Amino acid sequence: MTATRLLRTTARAALPALPVLAAAYAAPVLSTYGPLRNRVMPRLSGRGRPDHVALTFDDGPDRLSTPLFLRLLDERRVHATFFLLGNQAVRAPGLVREIAAAGHEIAVHGWLHRPLLLRGPRATYDDLARARDTVGDLTGCAPRLFRPPYGVMSTAVHLAARRLDLTPVLWTAWGEDWRARATPESVHRTVTGDLRGGGTVLLHDSDCTSAPGSWRATLGAVPRILDTCARRGLSVGPLREHAVDPL
Ligand SMILES: [Zn+2]
């Protein structure tokens, strides 16, 4: 299932129950709708300082594709935030250390790439804790940021993240780079069409939940996105450099 189809599905599933839910339970619905979320929850959406764009990659690490992203970012002297999956990280522990050693920010995307809205509080907490502890052990530094699979938040996610001292961050612009028909041109056009200063860009350095080989379109789009940001006078970096106040 693609991320957009899943988002629509989860949004549909959440909406009929909304009138009878307590205010706290509005979170899954709000965080699912991008434009509304960006306005109502700027911090959760990754809104930062207006002269900066945060570059983020989800679903890695991947032995095949991630090293190519690291090489490209090194050539362009740009740092990014990598939201790693725990079950991917244990398969490539050296690569996790390499990402950190290159100066990138390490964050977590959960242990398994499953929508947390469908899981209970205990399973949600265990998933996040396992991912945080495993990635933290590999790098020697506890991750502080968390992005739920598909961007779907729930009350259980909010509570688990708070207990684990993880700050959830979503995105303001994505490249639809998970699609089989994505090209460097389409990813660049989709990202920059929605991109303003202070925005957070979501891309994928791995195809583990995307169309096979889709990361090639992402890799081709990154230099164009960086060029467009430079033309617009926007600096690009990780989330740790993004916010006026530290996230
Ligand atoms: Zn993901």
Side-chain angles (χ1 to χ4, degrees):
M1 184 183 281
T2 66
T4 39
R5 201 181 313 150
L6 177 71
L7 286 177
R8 280 191 217 112
T9 307
T10 51
R12 268 203 306 273
L15 273 174
L18 182 60
V20 296
L21 291 176
Y25 283 82
V29 180
L30 284 177
S31 60
T32 298
Y33 287 108
L36 177 62
R37 186 193 76 212
N38 290 349
R39 236 181 14 252
V40 178
M41 303 171 138
R43 191 177 157 112
L44 176 64
S45 297
R47 278 252 152 251
R49 53 190 171 94
D51 61 341
H52 190 263
V53 165
L55 182 61
T56 71
F57 294 95
D58 285 9
D59 293 1
D62 183 293
R63 282 182 202 279
L64 177 65
S65 50
T66 302
L68 301 173
F69 284 85
L70 294 180
R71 191 189 308 163
L72 170 62
L73 293 172
D74 182 53
E75 285 167 5
R76 297 293 300 243
R77 298 180 187 278
V78 169
H79 288 133
T81 302
F82 286 79
F83 286 89
L84 304 182
L85 284 168
N87 72 335
Q88 292 277 108
V90 287
R91 281 185 221 149
L95 189 50
V96 174
R97 293 187 199 100
E98 205 179 309
I99 299 170
H104 301 292
E105 184 174 31
I106 302 285
V108 287
H109 195 34
W111 185 266
L112 288 175
H113 205 279
R114 287 200 200 132
L116 293 167
L117 196 59
L118 307 178
R119 309 180 78 184
R122 183 77 227 180
T124 297
Y125 178 86
D126 289 348
D127 185 283
L128 264 68
R130 193 176 174 197
R132 184 198 66 162
D133 293 347
T134 301
V135 169
D137 286 347
L138 287 173
T139 61
C141 183
R144 291 182 46 248
L145 303 179
F146 162 67
R147 176 177 288 157
Y150 308 104
V152 177
M153 296 292 293
S154 68
T155 303
V157 173
H158 281 292
L159 293 176
R162 193 182 304 165
R163 279 179 65 196
L164 291 162
D165 202 20
L166 290 168
T167 302
V169 184
L170 302 181
W171 60 87
T172 67
W174 64 18
E176 298 190 346
D177 57 341
W178 58 84
R179 298 176 187 275
R181 62 173 183 271
T183 63
E185 293 76 18
S186 75
V187 174
H188 169 254
R189 191 173 55 245
T190 306
V191 166
T192 54
D194 283 345
L195 189 60
R196 306 284 178 273
T200 290
V201 174
L202 161 65
L203 294 171
H204 297 83
D205 62 307
S206 157
D207 61 3
C208 72
T209 69
S210 306
S214 54
W215 57 265
R216 295 178 198 280
T218 313
L219 189 68
V222 169
R224 300 164 201 228
I225 294 167
L226 295 177
D227 290 344
T228 298
C229 287
R231 268 200 307 278
R232 294 180 184 177
L234 301 169
S235 59
V236 178
L239 281 161
R240 66 172 179 243
E241 296 172 7
H242 190 51
V244 177
D245 302 315
L247 283 169

mmCIF file of all heavy atoms in Angstrom, residues 58-59 85 109 113 148-150 204 209, ligand 1:
data_model
loop_
_atom_site.group_PDB
_atom_site.id
_atom_site.type_symbol
_atom_site.label_atom_id
_atom_site.label_comp_id
_atom_site.label_asym_id
_atom_site.label_seq_id
_atom_site.Cartn_x
_atom_site.Cartn_y
_atom_site.Cartn_z
ATOM 1 N N ASP A 58 13.859 9.229 5.184
ATOM 2 C CA ASP A 58 13.208 8.165 5.963
ATOM 3 C C ASP A 58 13.544 6.785 5.389
ATOM 4 O O ASP A 58 13.906 6.651 4.216
ATOM 5 C CB ASP A 58 11.676 8.315 5.900
ATOM 6 C CG ASP A 58 11.158 9.449 6.778
ATOM 7 O OD1 ASP A 58 11.975 10.225 7.299
ATOM 8 O OD2 ASP A 58 9.940 9.549 6.913
ATOM 9 N N ASP A 59 13.340 5.776 6.222
ATOM 10 C CA ASP A 59 13.286 4.350 5.839
ATOM 11 C C ASP A 59 14.645 3.662 5.720
ATOM 12 O O ASP A 59 14.710 2.480 5.397
ATOM 13 C CB ASP A 59 12.517 4.111 4.533
ATOM 14 C CG ASP A 59 11.032 4.412 4.655
ATOM 15 O OD1 ASP A 59 10.603 4.820 5.748
ATOM 16 O OD2 ASP A 59 10.309 4.240 3.660
ATOM 17 N N LEU A 85 14.947 3.179 10.493
ATOM 18 C CA LEU A 85 14.113 2.090 10.996
ATOM 19 C C LEU A 85 15.008 1.155 11.799
ATOM 20 O O LEU A 85 16.084 0.751 11.326
ATOM 21 C CB LEU A 85 13.500 1.323 9.823
ATOM 22 C CG LEU A 85 12.329 2.010 9.111
ATOM 23 C CD1 LEU A 85 12.028 1.291 7.799
ATOM 24 C CD2 LEU A 85 11.097 2.039 10.006
ATOM 25 N N HIS A 109 12.552 6.235 13.135
ATOM 26 C CA HIS A 109 11.301 6.122 12.358
ATOM 27 C C HIS A 109 10.500 4.915 12.863
ATOM 28 O O HIS A 109 9.603 4.441 12.184
ATOM 29 C CB HIS A 109 11.709 5.922 10.882
ATOM 30 C CG HIS A 109 10.622 6.142 9.880
ATOM 31 N ND1 HIS A 109 9.623 7.076 10.017
ATOM 32 C CD2 HIS A 109 10.378 5.544 8.676
ATOM 33 C CE1 HIS A 109 8.833 7.040 8.959
ATOM 34 N NE2 HIS A 109 9.254 6.116 8.139
ATOM 35 N N HIS A 113 8.023 -0.700 9.992
ATOM 36 C CA HIS A 113 7.292 0.310 9.229
ATOM 37 C C HIS A 113 5.820 -0.078 9.144
ATOM 38 O O HIS A 113 5.322 -0.502 8.110
ATOM 39 C CB HIS A 113 7.894 0.453 7.835
ATOM 40 C CG HIS A 113 7.632 1.799 7.240
ATOM 41 N ND1 HIS A 113 6.444 2.135 6.641
ATOM 42 C CD2 HIS A 113 8.400 2.910 7.169
ATOM 43 C CE1 HIS A 113 6.501 3.380 6.227
ATOM 44 N NE2 HIS A 113 7.674 3.872 6.534
ATOM 45 N N PRO A 148 6.784 9.092 12.925
ATOM 46 C CA PRO A 148 6.043 7.825 12.825
ATOM 47 C C PRO A 148 5.885 7.399 11.367
ATOM 48 O O PRO A 148 5.783 8.248 10.475
ATOM 49 C CB PRO A 148 4.686 8.171 13.439
ATOM 50 C CG PRO A 148 4.547 9.640 13.277
ATOM 51 C CD PRO A 148 5.932 10.220 13.328
ATOM 52 N N PRO A 149 5.861 6.075 11.109
ATOM 53 C CA PRO A 149 5.604 5.595 9.750
ATOM 54 C C PRO A 149 4.329 6.225 9.182
ATOM 55 O O PRO A 149 3.327 6.326 9.886
ATOM 56 C CB PRO A 149 5.457 4.088 9.932
ATOM 57 C CG PRO A 149 6.268 3.778 11.148
ATOM 58 C CD PRO A 149 6.101 4.972 12.046
ATOM 59 N N TYR A 150 4.380 6.673 7.953
ATOM 60 C CA TYR A 150 3.266 7.315 7.240
ATOM 61 C C TYR A 150 2.843 8.635 7.882
ATOM 62 O O TYR A 150 1.833 9.208 7.507
ATOM 63 C CB TYR A 150 2.052 6.368 7.141
ATOM 64 C CG TYR A 150 2.408 5.017 6.575
ATOM 65 C CD1 TYR A 150 2.519 3.896 7.391
ATOM 66 C CD2 TYR A 150 2.672 4.871 5.208
ATOM 67 C CE1 TYR A 150 2.867 2.663 6.880
ATOM 68 C CE2 TYR A 150 3.014 3.635 4.685
ATOM 69 C CZ TYR A 150 3.112 2.532 5.524
ATOM 70 O OH TYR A 150 3.461 1.311 5.010
ATOM 71 N N HIS A 204 13.266 9.754 0.710
ATOM 72 C CA HIS A 204 13.581 8.386 1.150
ATOM 73 C C HIS A 204 14.914 7.950 0.547
ATOM 74 O O HIS A 204 15.085 7.996 -0.675
ATOM 75 C CB HIS A 204 12.475 7.423 0.716
ATOM 76 C CG HIS A 204 11.141 7.734 1.342
ATOM 77 N ND1 HIS A 204 10.287 8.688 0.819
ATOM 78 C CD2 HIS A 204 10.537 7.244 2.449
ATOM 79 C CE1 HIS A 204 9.206 8.757 1.588
ATOM 80 N NE2 HIS A 204 9.332 7.893 2.577
ATOM 81 N N THR A 209 10.122 0.403 1.673
ATOM 82 C CA THR A 209 8.655 0.478 1.715
ATOM 83 C C THR A 209 8.116 1.163 0.452
ATOM 84 O O THR A 209 6.954 1.545 0.404
ATOM 85 C CB THR A 209 8.151 1.250 2.947
ATOM 86 O OG1 THR A 209 8.500 2.625 2.798
ATOM 87 C CG2 THR A 209 8.750 0.712 4.231
HETATM 88 ZN ZN ZN B 1 8.636 5.648 6.124
#
